Amino acid sequence: MKTIDELLAEGVSGKRVFVRADLNVPLEGTTITDDGRIRAVVPTVKALAGAGARVVVASHLGRPKGAPDPAFSLAPAAARLGELLGAEVAFATDTVGESATATVAGLADGQVAVIENLRFNAGETSKDDAERGAFADQLAALADLYVGDGFGAVHRKHASVFDLPARLPHAAGYLIATEVGVLRKLTDDVQRPYVVVLGGAKVSDKLGVIDHLLEKADRILIGGGMAYTFLKAQGHEVGISLLQKDQIPAVLDYLKRAEERGVEFVLPVDVLVSTEFPDLKTKAPANPTTVAADAIPADEEGLDIGPETRKLYASKLADAGTVFWNGPMGVFEHPDYAEGTKAVAQALVDSPAFTVVGGGDSAAAVRTLGFDENAFGHISTGGGASLEYLEGKTLPGLAALEG
Ligand SMILES: Nc1ncnc2c1ncn2[C@@H]1O[C@H](COP(=O)(O)OP(=O)(O)O)[C@@H](O)[C@H]1O
Ligand SMILES: O=C(OP(=O)(O)O)[C@H](O)COP(=O)(O)O
């Protein structure tokens, strides 16, 4: 994989460099609640701009449906990037249309632009090679060189991640190099016990990694929205909690194999429930109730792990040699459902283990709940990406940079 330093040594002055970043930051309206992913790409953008490149930064944000949707605009992220760079950042209100073309054409050497959300275009995420390729051709027209630095999205076979680098001379940015360097340590030889904590909301995306973790981990703790498919599989009522019904047979198989292999599988023993999802804007008190994990009322939704589970999980983390954690334990964005995530973060801070926290929301949770980033071994910008990297899968965005 060519490094950005090699690219810089070849000279980028006057060249248009497309930087595929992951600026998928959490937003409340247009306010960025955690800018970690923007800060993470600054070294790459700074180095390129400093060397006289005309830098075109691109990213997805959220999961819009292949058409413009103002709620998912990258404008706030572009403004924040400008603040962090201490320089003006131009913003194109489309991705490959008139605005993008004019904005890029207007860049002087050393200037930076952000183009609008890649996923406003159906071609970005299309499963059809030709449709993705056609969009990649349009993106390629905006640049001379490509730098891949959106680690959080390297597991996506998307036009800007996979197809575009095949069309332009390319290199890996500083963030990707750092992430891969640290995560490699977790695939080589890990200090045991190796404890993996999984939660969050992207349940269908992430359940599959358990298949592989059963070969690697000594203990797996399940929380967040991930827990309810397990509780349901064990025959418990989960009310209106997040549930991946079609995955129940797979989950039963994981539980059986874990037992056969001596992998300890730990599920919540109690949860916080409510009839309503909390208001994340007003943060109005949610007044949840605590119930046993096998007694969730039919009209209620599990939104955090309960106090007994917090204690249990802290004890299961205390003797770890290595910890990998992806996915908050609850809807941490609301203070009434943040205690589970706080307890796991605190257990990692207290642990002498090598600790890795991965994922946009998990990293944001750690920081917004007031923990010191330096108290963790590594905070990865990628959740799904780091999990799939640990699985040993070929990641489209890394494979494309190697080609
Ligand atoms: N029990 C739950 N029900 C619904 N959503 C949940 C639950 N627990 C956690 N979440 C949500 O999961 C989201 C993060 O999930 P995910 O994107 O998978 O994590 P990451 O970005 O760290 O990889 C958070 O916005 C959080 O509110
Ligand atoms: O937030 C992300 O992943 P993560 O939640 O696994 O950390 C990345 O930006 C990828 O987004 P996607 O899961 O919508 O492709």
Side-chain angles (χ1 to χ4, degrees), residues 200-202 206 224-225 228 242 302-303 326-328 330-331 333 358-362 383:
K202 292 180 180 170
K206 292 174 185 171
Y228 304 95
L242 271 190
L303 294 160
N326 170 248
V331 182
E333 294 92 337
D361 288 303
S362 306

Side-chain angles (χ1 to χ4, degrees), residues 189-353:
D189 89 292
V190 293
Q191 286 289 324
R192 294 189 177 276
Y194 179 17
V195 186
V196 176
V197 189
L198 287 182
K202 292 180 180 170
V203 185
S204 59
D205 273 18
K206 292 174 185 171
L207 264 171
V209 304
I210 294 172
D211 196 46
H212 158 84
L213 290 173
L214 289 171
E215 311 286 321
K216 289 274 175 179
D218 300 301
R219 195 177 290 150
I220 301 174
L221 316 182
I222 304 285
M226 185 77 87
Y228 304 95
T229 305
F230 285 87
L231 294 171
K232 184 78 179 177
Q234 290 184 325
H236 305 310
E237 172 65 69
V238 296
I240 51 169
S241 308
L242 271 190
L243 177 65
Q244 205 62 44
K245 249 192 188 145
D246 56 331
Q247 296 285 321
I248 288 176
V251 157
L252 284 170
D253 177 57
Y254 298 150
L255 291 169
K256 184 168 142 258
R257 279 168 49 212
E259 206 174 317
E260 285 163 8
R261 300 188 68 87
V263 176
E264 194 182 353
F265 225 99
V266 194
L267 295 175
V269 291
D270 59 352
V271 291
L272 302 191
V273 296
S274 173
T275 50
E276 278 174 18
F277 197 83
D279 189 330
L280 301 182
K281 220 175 198 168
T282 64
K283 310 260 159 77
N287 304 316
T289 26
T290 304
V291 296
D294 60 1
I296 300 175
D299 60 342
E300 307 225 20
E301 178 173 13
L303 294 160
D304 194 10
I305 57 173
E308 288 306 316
T309 310
R310 298 202 290 264
K311 275 190 245 159
L312 175 67
Y313 284 15
S315 75
K316 297 289 178 190
L317 288 161
D319 68 341
T322 306
V323 181
F324 179 84
W325 172 28
N326 170 248
M329 294 293 98
V331 182
F332 74 92
E333 294 92 337
H334 191 288
D336 289 351
Y337 299 111
E339 292 303 319
T341 302
K342 268 190 206 166
V344 167
Q346 188 63 52
L348 264 63
V349 169
D350 294 341
S351 161

Side-chain angles (χ1 to χ4, degrees), residues 22 24 37 60 62-63 119 152-153 155-156 202 205-206 359-360 381-384:
D22 179 0
N24 184 19
R37 280 182 165 160
H60 69 287
R63 293 178 171 177
R119 293 186 186 170
H155 59 317
R156 302 295 182 210
K202 292 180 180 170
D205 273 18
K206 292 174 185 171
T381 54

